[in-house]
Amino acid sequence: MTEPLRVFVNGAGVTVPVGSTVIDAVAAADPSGADAVRAGNRAVVDSRGLPIAADTPLSGGFVMRLVA
């Protein structure tokens, strides 16, 4: 059995299953934020501030932020 992944959304730690994507983590941390990303009203950036696709697979320790 594979251990779940610990990732960070807007500074908050979230635990998601292996195979999860960026939007899965955002939805776990902030369901309304995930709705805004899906609607195109917000975007997700990585720890460097570079945009990342919502369907990007996650790895442990991944850091992301929601932006307008």
Side-chain angles (χ1 to χ4, degrees):
M1 186 170 202
T2 306
E3 293 292 319
L5 301 173
R6 187 72 169 169
V7 298
F8 300 88
V9 179
N10 290 341
V14 179
T15 301
V16 294
V18 170
S20 293
T21 62
V22 165
I23 198 67
D24 296 329
V26 172
D30 179 1
S32 64
D35 291 341
V37 170
R38 289 184 190 107
N41 298 324
R42 296 194 79 183
V44 183
V45 297
D46 65 12
S47 60
R48 299 168 295 168
L50 300 174
I52 51 175
D55 62 351
T56 300
L58 296 174
S59 58
F62 201 92
V63 176
M64 65 202 93
R65 290 175 287 160
L66 296 176
V67 295

